[in-house]
Amino acid sequence: SGISDKLVPIKSQGISLAEAISTLPSCPGEKDVSLEVKILGGSGEFNFSWQDFSTSSSSKLVNIGAGEYTLIVTDQSGCGLATFKVSLKDPEPMRLIGEPEVTMTTCSDSEDGGFKIKVAGGNPPYRVEGLESVWDGVYLKVSGLSAGEFNLYILDGKGCSIPVKGKVMGAT
């Protein structure tokens, strides 16, 4: 009669989202995050829908910043649906506490002036590239400046920066 006397349904496992692999933004406002959601179960064939990211059709987003992200995963065989939500936050920004405490040069043409300043946030240790700088856990001490105005950038351990400016007085 052409009809099987036994019909055995194939049961497919539902889907679940196991984990997200992400890197946090290196600096406040940066869009250097990679986010990937791992899928378990299902048929192996999935449709991906990121809210607010209609251009991505995979389980991965790249070059994104801090924000709220939602991924809806649908099994193409109709065996399941799962939603993944994550909130990525910017790291705490660096901030200067007070004004630089400036050290004058010993001679008008020497380069032995400097400053110290309290720095917080970001990712210690802090430094100023191209100059001798020492972070003691509270203050950043910078030396090697000549008399005159300075406009420098303090960098943290991840390369985030904050400007600092002041004036080194020369001995007369």
Side-chain angles (χ1 to χ4, degrees):
S1 70
I3 297 177
S4 168
D5 59 37
K6 266 192 163 174
L7 180 62
V8 180
I10 299 172
K11 185 175 180 184
S12 180
Q13 179 182 13
I15 60 174
S16 63
L17 306 178
E19 63 186 71
I21 300 168
S22 66
T23 56
L24 297 177
S26 58
C27 300
E30 292 290 320
K31 294 192 181 312
D32 57 356
V33 177
S34 293
L35 173 65
E36 183 173 5
V37 178
K38 298 291 185 186
I39 294 99
L40 296 176
S43 67
E45 298 294 322
F46 307 102
N47 291 321
F48 302 97
S49 175
W50 288 96
Q51 286 185 347
D52 301 323
F53 285 92
S54 59
T55 58
S56 178
S57 60
S58 75
S59 65
K60 187 173 186 173
L61 291 177
V62 294
N63 298 323
I64 58 173
E68 303 287 324
Y69 298 92
T70 301
L71 172 65
I72 299 170
V73 180
T74 309
D75 189 300
Q76 287 183 0
S77 67
C79 296
L81 174 99
T83 301
F84 172 81
K85 292 182 181 187
V86 66
S87 177
L88 300 176
K89 299 194 183 309
D90 272 329
E92 181 184 357
M94 282 193 302
R95 62 190 184 285
L96 303 178
I97 301 171
E99 294 295 318
E101 297 175 31
V102 178
T103 306
M104 67 186 319
T105 62
T106 55
C107 297
S108 60
D109 61 347
S110 65
E111 294 182 349
D112 59 354
F115 66 91
K116 74 176 189 176
I117 191 163
K118 281 187 176 183
V119 185
N123 295 285
Y126 308 106
R127 71 187 189 289
V128 173
E129 272 190 24
L131 295 171
E132 185 177 331
S133 48
V134 176
W135 170 246
D136 68 9
V138 176
Y139 284 96
L140 175 66
K141 298 172 185 171
V142 179
S143 58
L145 294 172
S146 56
E149 292 185 11
F150 61 86
N151 289 301
L152 302 169
Y153 285 92
I154 295 173
L155 303 172
D156 73 0
K158 288 192 172 183
C160 305
S161 65
I162 188 169
V164 61
K165 62 182 178 177
K167 185 174 184 177
V168 173
M169 301 304 291
T172 53

